[in-house]
């Protein structure tokens, strides 16, 4: 199933619009993404305190509750490490068959997807793009534009995050700038 439906957002979300005791905010700086980017030399020269993305997550039920939903807003800054675009860490779900929706709110980029057989493909993200991420498909987002990329997500409260599989083997393809064109290599 490889869909890329489009809807018209009536409200532009921002990280700040989620508040309250059920909201958890986090920031990933470049130093949190050690091993994620291919160009180690370029990464080594960059400021590790630099923020790459912020996530605000609305968690109305406890983590692992069956049948609940979580919702998040991510702001991913523009930038590159070498020729590779700033991107989220990426993960499978711990409960591997759990699916998720992502939707583009502001800016432009790509959702990079990889199934368990390590087939990789990408869907263009833009304000109003809607992306269904099936279970057993790893997902990460790259900002290919010159402004911040804001996207939102909705996922089951018992999905969990499996970062270890990606930390061990990475994605089979990377999204890099080839003569100004975002290209999966
Ligand atoms: O969890 P990662 O791979 O750092 O990516 C951040 C995004 O993914 C989510 O974990 C949801 O899949 C959100 O909290 C956020 O939108
Ligand atoms: Fe996810």
């Amino acid at each position: 199933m490889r869909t890329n439906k489009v809807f018209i957002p009536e409200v532009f979300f921002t990280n700040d619009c989620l508040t309250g005791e059920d909201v958890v905010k986090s920031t990933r700086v470049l130093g949190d993404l050690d091993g994620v980017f291919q160009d180690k030399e370029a990464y080594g020269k960059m400021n590790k305190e630099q923020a790459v993305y912020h996530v605000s997550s609305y968690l109305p039920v406890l983590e692992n509750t069956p049948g609940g939903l979580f919702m998040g807003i991510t702001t991913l800054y523009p930038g590159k490490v070498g020729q590779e675009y700033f991107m989220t860490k990426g993960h499978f779900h711990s409960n591997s068959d759990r699916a998720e929706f992502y939707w583009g709110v502001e800016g432009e980029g790509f959702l990079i997807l990889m199934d368990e057989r390590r087939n990789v493909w990408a869907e263009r993200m833009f304000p109003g793009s809607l992306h269904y991420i099936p279970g057993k498909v790893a997902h990460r987002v790259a900002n290919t534009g010159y402004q911040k990329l804001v996207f939102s997500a909705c996922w089951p409260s018992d999905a969990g995050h499996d970062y270890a599989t990606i930390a061990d083997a990475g994605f089979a393809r990377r999204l890099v700038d080839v003569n100004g064109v975002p290209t999966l290599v």
Side-chain angles (χ1 to χ4, degrees):
M1 203 183 312
R2 296 180 185 186
T3 53
N4 191 175
K5 296 193 179 67
V6 175
F7 76 111
I8 307 298
E10 288 182 11
V11 177
F12 267 35
F13 296 109
T14 67
N15 275 76
D16 297 332
C17 77
L18 277 185
T19 54
E21 59 182 21
D22 298 335
V23 174
V24 176
K25 299 197 182 222
S26 64
T27 297
R28 283 205 209 274
V29 296
L30 207 47
D32 296 322
L33 300 173
D34 196 9
V36 167
F37 297 97
Q38 186 160 45
D39 190 336
K40 308 287 174 227
E41 199 184 327
Y43 179 79
K45 291 178 185 158
M46 294 175 75
N47 173 13
K48 303 302 176 297
E49 301 303 313
Q50 182 181 351
V52 179
Y53 57 104
H54 305 290
V55 182
S56 296
S57 300
Y58 174 35
L59 313 173
V61 294
L62 288 176
E63 181 92 39
N64 279 324
T65 303
L69 290 171
F70 291 155
M71 188 267 199
I73 302 171
T74 300
T75 300
L76 173 60
Y77 292 111
K80 279 186 278 191
V81 178
Q83 292 307 110
E84 195 170 10
Y85 300 100
F86 273 12
M87 59 188 176
T88 62
K89 204 167 174 178
H91 57 267
F92 284 98
H93 290 153
S94 313
N95 257 327
S96 62
D97 65 353
R98 298 300 191 265
E100 182 165 1
F101 275 120
Y102 273 19
W103 59 97
V105 173
E106 188 182 334
E108 54 185 287
F110 281 87
L111 169 61
I112 305 165
L113 301 155
M114 181 175 76
D115 67 20
E116 288 186 316
R117 298 173 67 188
R118 298 185 59 73
N119 296 308
V120 176
W121 67 101
E123 296 180 1
R124 199 168 73 82
M125 295 185 92
F126 51 91
S129 65
L130 179 62
H131 310 266
Y132 178 69
I133 303 164
K136 304 187 181 184
V137 172
H139 37 289
R140 81 162 24 136
V141 172
N143 185 344
T144 57
Y146 295 99
Q147 52 170 321
K148 65 186 181 181
L149 170 65
V150 182
F151 66 94
S152 203
C154 182
W155 67 101
S157 47
D158 62 351
H161 291 78
D162 165 17
Y163 293 106
T165 307
I166 298 302
D168 290 348
F171 275 61
R173 294 165 82 192
R174 293 172 177 279
L175 193 70
V176 296
D177 178 336
V178 177
N179 301 320
V181 180
T183 309
L184 270 182
V185 296

